[in-house]
Amino acid sequence: MAADTARAKIASMNEITTQSGNAPTAAAATIADAVLQALCFDANGLVPAIAQQHDTGEVLMMAWMNRDAVRETLATGRVCYFSRSRGRLWRKGESSGQTQHLKELRVDCDGDTLLLLVQQDGVACHTGRRNCFFRAARDGGLIEIAAPEVSPEALYGHSHG
Amino acid sequence: MAADTARAKIASMNEITTQSGNAPTAAAATIADAVLQALCFDANGLVPAIAQQHDTGEVLMMAWMNRDAVRETLATGRVCYFSRSRGRLWRKGESSGQTQHLKELRVDCDGDTLLLLVQQDGVACHTGRRNCFFRAARDGGLIEIAAPEVSPEALYGHSHG
């Protein structure tokens, strides 16, 4: 496939046709039921979720969701993960203010991975970088290819989220 | 950040500066050592790896890698995963011919997820679709937003890969 065709295709695929409001609705509950039914959670009740900036295609981060995180994200339009280290729901940006707004949720062929098209407020990475994938295998080693846009101290004080 | 700025940034970040050859080299071994040292494998010795088409930003699929898969991918330039269902290395496209060529491997902040910038030959999904994320939460349910470009039978006969 030519690159232009591929680009046109992803642009077309990223046109969001629903999810017009952010308030919990009966429709959101129905969608959540359909999504949860399609998902295969792992032994810990989690699925990996890839967050992608909806308009640029930048892969921002990967985190995990449990059933409640999926439900809350679909109901509120604000992305909520499950923090494995903290053992609880993690409303992205709850500490840092760097929230993610859901544009569309997609499920993969096997139902074991989510792709979240999001609008990222500020930076996605707790290091202050726009995305978490800032180390690249280049030049005989692993090098940093992006600098922080904001200091972690400015984001969190002494916490993390 | 304005969308144009973000696009310019991802385009700039995706400029690949090394990995010029596909043959195993001493440099590849050094890079593999650096990458493996930075990675935190899970209890099963695996890390999730997101495959993204390098020039369009399309997220193609998510699969898993063990240490050997990371080493082989960096050494050969052809993406090799670890198949959890088959319990062995899975050279993407070994059955279907739909191979992935590594453009760049990136490691996330916590070292527990890989982002692979790839050139996908043909389709990435075993259903015959270009990518695996063809079901979207829209219109009150989960709907298919992409059709197969090739039939699974044409890809595999009776196998799968």
Side-chain angles (χ1 to χ4, degrees):
Chain A
M1 187 185 314
D4 283 353
T5 313
R7 275 194 205 96
K9 188 172 177 192
I10 195 172
S12 160
M13 286 178 67
N14 279 352
E15 280 176 23
I16 313 304
T17 58
T18 57
Q19 302 287 345
S20 56
N22 284 340
T25 62
T30 307
I31 290 180
D33 289 339
V35 168
L36 290 173
Q37 199 163 30
L39 288 176
C40 298
F41 292 88
D42 71 10
N44 297 311
L46 302 173
V47 288
I50 302 160
Q52 181 181 33
Q53 176 64 30
H54 71 101
D55 51 357
T56 65
E58 181 182 8
V59 176
L60 299 168
M61 58 180 284
M62 202 284 281
W64 297 80
M65 285 185 159
N66 66 0
R67 288 177 177 270
D68 288 345
V70 171
R71 277 197 189 281
E72 177 168 319
T73 298
L74 286 168
T76 66
R78 179 176 162 185
V79 177
C80 173
Y81 298 104
F82 182 84
S83 167
R84 296 180 300 172
S85 58
R86 286 171 279 180
R88 64 167 175 82
L89 291 180
W90 161 34
R91 290 158 190 99
K92 176 69 180 163
E94 63 190 9
S95 304
S96 65
Q98 316 291 291
T99 53
Q100 286 179 350
H101 304 278
L102 185 69
K103 294 292 185 177
E104 187 161 276
L105 179 148
R106 296 185 187 163
V107 179
D108 82 340
C109 52
D110 296 324
D112 59 9
T113 307
L114 291 168
L115 178 63
L116 311 175
L117 301 177
V118 304
Q119 171 59 42
Q120 172 69 53
D121 285 348
V123 299
C125 184
H126 75 283
T127 65
R129 293 170 176 89
R130 171 82 186 164
N131 74 67
C132 296
F133 300 96
F134 57 85
R135 294 185 288 176
R138 290 184 190 175
D139 301 332
L142 197 61
I143 63 168
E144 293 196 4
I145 59 172
E149 299 184 5
V150 56
S151 76
E153 293 72 25
L155 288 176
Y156 303 104
H158 293 295
S159 72
H160 179 308
Chain B
M1 187 187 311
D4 282 354
T5 313
R7 275 195 204 95
K9 188 172 175 191
I10 195 172
S12 161
M13 286 178 66
N14 279 351
E15 279 175 23
I16 313 304
T17 58
T18 57
Q19 303 286 343
S20 56
N22 283 340
T25 62
T30 307
I31 290 180
D33 290 340
V35 169
L36 290 173
Q37 198 163 29
L39 288 176
C40 298
F41 291 88
D42 71 11
N44 298 312
L46 302 173
V47 288
I50 302 160
Q52 181 181 34
Q53 175 65 29
H54 72 101
D55 51 357
T56 65
E58 181 181 8
V59 175
L60 299 168
M61 57 180 285
M62 202 284 281
W64 297 80
M65 285 186 159
N66 65 1
R67 288 176 177 271
D68 287 346
V70 171
R71 277 197 190 281
E72 178 168 318
T73 298
L74 287 168
T76 66
R78 178 175 163 186
V79 178
C80 173
Y81 298 104
F82 182 84
S83 167
R84 295 180 300 172
S85 59
R86 285 171 279 180
R88 64 166 175 82
L89 291 180
W90 161 35
R91 291 157 188 100
K92 177 68 180 164
E94 63 189 11
S95 304
S96 65
Q98 316 291 291
T99 52
Q100 286 178 350
H101 305 277
L102 185 70
K103 294 292 185 176
E104 185 161 277
L105 179 148
R106 296 186 186 162
V107 178
D108 81 341
C109 50
D110 296 324
D112 59 9
T113 307
L114 291 168
L115 177 64
L116 311 175
L117 300 177
V118 304
Q119 171 59 44
Q120 172 69 53
D121 285 349
V123 299
C125 185
H126 75 283
T127 64
R129 293 171 177 89
R130 171 82 186 164
N131 75 67
C132 296
F133 299 96
F134 57 84
R135 293 185 289 176
R138 288 184 191 176
D139 301 331
L142 196 62
I143 63 168
E144 292 196 3
I145 58 172
E149 298 184 6
V150 55
S151 76
E153 293 72 25
L155 287 175
Y156 303 104
H158 294 293
S159 72
H160 179 309

